[in-house]
Amino acid sequence: MTTQELIAQIKKKNSFLCIGLDVDLNKIPSHLLKEEDPIFAFNKAIIDATHHLCVAYKPNTAFYEAYGIKGWQSLEKTIQYLNSNYPEIYTIADAKRGDIGNTSTMYAKAFFEDLAFDSVTVAPYMGKDSVEPFLAFKNKHTIMLALTSNEGAFDFQTKEVNGRELYKEVLETSKGWENSENLMYVVGATKAEYFKEIRKIVPNSFLLVPGVGAQGGNLQDVCKYGLSENIGLLINSSRGIIYASKNEDFATKAATKAAELQQEMSAILNQ
C-alpha cells in the first residue's frame, strides 16, 4: 500500500486509528478456547466488528511467537484474512527486527513477501545497513523506533550526543538513507511534548503512536503537535479496545471503544 492510498483511507473513514492485535490466551473470552484456533477466532471477530472504524491493524509478533508454530499459523491466517476481506486496511507487523545485510533482507522477505504485510517495525541501533534492506521493497513501509513510551527510553534515546538528543540524531540521519521516503517512525503517545521537536525534523513522515489509552497517552495532546498536512499519524490502541470485555459480547464492546476513538479523531480532522 502506498502512502497516498493510506491517506485516502484516513480521509474516507475520518479515522487514523490503528488497532493492536496483541492476543494473550489468558485474557480472551473463555468460550473461544474451545475453538480449533482461539487466537484467529478472536482476531477475526475483532476485525469484523471494527474494520470500518480503523485504517490499520498491528499484530505484535511476540504474542504469536510465544505459542510456537501454532501461534505463527494464527498470525498467517490473520493477515491472509485481512488481505482477502479488507484489502484497504493497512497492516503492520510489530516485530522490531534489526540486523545487518542479508539477515535484514530475510526478515523483510518474511514479512513483506511471505506474510504480505504492508509494513514492519525495526530497531535502528545497528544503523543504515540494518534498515536499508527493508526500505528496498517497493510500496512497503519500514517503521523505525524513534522515541518510545517506556520508562527505559530515557536510558539512551534522550541522552545528548554532540549537544543533541540521540533520538533527534536518529531521525536526522535516517533521512539520508536510500529510499527513506518509505520510512515511518514510532513515537510514544506519553511523550506528547516531544512531537513539536520531532515535526521540525520529519514534518511530513507518518508517525506510529502507541500509548493512547491504557498507557496514559492523550489523543488531543498528540494531535496538537503531531498532525501534519497529510495527517501523518497512526494512533495505536491495543488493550483498551480488544479487551473491553471478556464475555461473549467482546467484539461488540471492542467496536464501541474503537468508535469512541474514531469519533474523537473525526472531530479533530473536521474542526
Side-chain angles (χ1 to χ4, degrees), residues 33-183:
L33 298 177
K34 301 172 186 175
E35 297 281 343
E36 180 182 352
D37 186 340
I39 294 174
F40 176 65
F42 179 80
N43 282 346
K44 181 179 180 298
I46 294 288
I47 291 165
D48 287 341
T50 62
H51 67 91
H52 59 296
L53 300 166
C54 67
V55 295
Y57 288 102
K58 182 180 72 66
N60 185 317
T61 60
F63 286 84
Y64 301 84
E65 293 170 287
Y67 298 108
I69 187 63
K70 288 185 177 180
W72 198 258
Q73 288 169 343
S74 299
L75 177 63
E76 185 176 38
K77 283 194 278 187
T78 298
I79 188 65
Q80 286 176 350
Y81 185 76
L82 276 167
N83 288 338
S84 297
N85 294 276
Y86 307 108
E88 76 282 1
I89 293 283
Y90 188 75
T91 55
I92 302 167
D94 190 3
K96 299 181 181 69
R97 298 299 195 255
D99 210 326
I100 57 173
N102 288 337
T103 307
S104 273
T105 298
M106 291 304 179
Y107 278 141
K109 284 178 176 288
F111 293 107
F112 292 153
E113 292 185 349
D114 182 50
L115 291 174
F117 275 94
D118 292 310
S119 61
V120 62
T121 59
V122 302
Y125 192 77
M126 293 182 75
K128 177 174 73 172
D129 48 344
S130 70
V131 179
E132 283 188 339
F134 291 92
L135 295 172
F137 286 75
K138 187 177 180 180
N139 293 334
K140 302 289 186 179
H141 290 103
T142 302
I143 310 178
M144 199 170 77
L145 298 175
L147 185 61
T148 56
S149 56
N150 60 302
E151 182 181 349
F154 296 102
D155 290 346
F156 301 115
Q157 295 168 29
T158 57
K159 297 294 185 185
E160 288 197 1
V161 177
N162 298 323
R164 195 183 201 189
E165 292 106 318
L166 181 59
Y167 79 91
K168 292 182 180 178
E169 285 292 308
V170 170
L171 288 167
E172 191 68 58
T173 300
S174 69
K175 290 163 59 179
W177 294 343
E178 191 170 359
N179 300 317
S180 61
E181 66 275 9
N182 295 332
L183 273 174

